[in-house]
Amino acid sequence: MNFKRVLVLSPHTDDGEIGAGGTIARFVDEGKEVYYIAFSSCESSLPEALPKDTLRRECLQSVKTMGISPERMLILDYKVRTFPEHRQEILDDLIRLKPQYNPDLVLVPSSHDMHQDHGVIYWEALRAFKKEASIWGYEHPWNNLTFTTDIFVRLKPEHVEKKLRVLREYKSQVDRGYMDEERIRALICTRGAQLDVPYAEAFELVRQLY
């Protein structure tokens, strides 16, 4: 469990932070090397009044706020809700980038995530990293029919506040229900209550290598 290099796979800008932002904050605090890939900046999902690079700029600022250096993050250009059409290209990207990141742990959407893009990232990450890295699935309650809480990461108050501060960088998404800070904090408190601690995030165990 002594992970040194962690790779966060975020189907769209903000998914990784929503699902695992507190855990990422803890990993950064502990001095782990954290890398981040977003596969889409969701240009087609933005209101017409906003510049097309809005989410890309917000993601760059989010990752910077998290404490991840710019050279450790990458934003790819797949169009939102088209990932099933590009499964092989996404797998090729992961295999091409794998030697560069060489992670011990990969964070992905859970296997129960119903969003078509999230499901592709789950399966292609499993294909790409199953022999080399542990894989945990993070939680998006609005997309999950069910979720297995196999792994809990205890968080300090500063990790929770860092997650909320990071998500505030996504100003273009402020009206989305899943960005509501009360909901985010409530889930963190609920997972903490399962351990009798104030705060935690939970993950599905997909693959564990030791």
Side-chain angles (χ1 to χ4, degrees):
M1 299 289 286
N2 186 26
F3 305 113
K4 296 180 180 178
R5 298 169 66 93
V6 180
L7 175 60
V8 181
L9 298 184
S10 185
H12 314 117
T13 48
D14 77 20
D15 284 328
E17 297 96 310
I18 293 170
T23 299
I24 297 169
R26 175 174 170 177
F27 285 165
V28 171
D29 279 354
E30 292 174 347
K32 301 184 190 306
E33 295 181 32
V34 180
Y35 300 84
Y36 178 103
I37 301 175
F39 289 81
S40 176
S41 58
C42 304
E43 292 182 1
S44 61
S45 297
L46 285 167
E48 290 185 5
L50 292 177
K52 291 300 183 182
D53 67 343
T54 295
L55 275 165
R56 179 179 293 270
R57 288 186 286 105
E58 290 175 344
C59 184
L60 289 168
Q61 185 59 46
S62 166
V63 171
K64 180 180 178 180
T65 301
M66 188 71 74
I68 301 172
S69 57
E71 63 269 19
R72 291 182 178 176
M73 70 95 64
L74 177 66
I75 303 177
L76 300 176
D77 293 316
Y78 292 98
K79 291 184 179 180
V80 66
R81 292 184 294 277
T82 70
F83 288 19
E85 303 168 26
H86 300 284
R87 298 184 71 104
Q88 188 60 47
E89 295 100 311
I90 289 170
L91 177 59
D92 290 344
D93 280 336
L94 291 172
I95 291 173
R96 172 177 57 86
L97 292 165
K98 182 165 58 172
Q100 176 181 338
Y101 296 111
N102 192 28
D104 305 305
L105 173 65
V106 182
L107 302 183
V108 300
S110 82
S111 65
H112 302 290
D113 196 310
M114 294 187 298
H115 193 293
Q116 63 268 49
D117 293 349
H118 296 201
V120 168
I121 297 305
Y122 167 81
W123 280 110
E124 300 315 319
L126 185 55
R127 289 184 175 94
F129 294 102
K130 65 181 184 293
K131 296 178 182 178
E132 292 90 8
S134 297
I135 304 173
W136 296 357
Y138 52 75
E139 185 173 16
H140 282 169
W142 60 94
N143 282 343
N144 295 346
L145 284 176
T146 187
F147 184 77
T148 56
T149 53
D150 301 310
I151 296 171
F152 290 84
V153 176
R154 290 172 287 194
L155 304 176
K156 296 179 180 179
E158 55 264 36
H159 301 143
V160 179
E161 293 309 314
K162 176 67 74 67
K163 175 173 181 168
L164 295 175
R165 189 161 70 251
V166 161
L167 291 175
R168 290 183 199 124
E169 300 293 352
Y170 289 99
K171 295 178 178 63
S172 68
Q173 306 299 297
V174 67
D175 293 330
R176 304 276 187 174
Y178 50 75
M179 283 292 195
D180 183 83
E181 290 193 5
E182 289 187 12
R183 296 186 190 182
I184 294 167
R185 191 181 290 275
L187 181 59
I188 291 172
C189 291
T190 297
R191 294 310 180 205
Q194 292 178 266
L195 306 181
D196 199 22
V197 301
Y199 309 114
E201 285 180 333
F203 297 85
E204 173 192 14
L205 178 58
V206 179
R207 194 82 163 175
Q208 186 68 45
L209 304 184
Y210 178 74

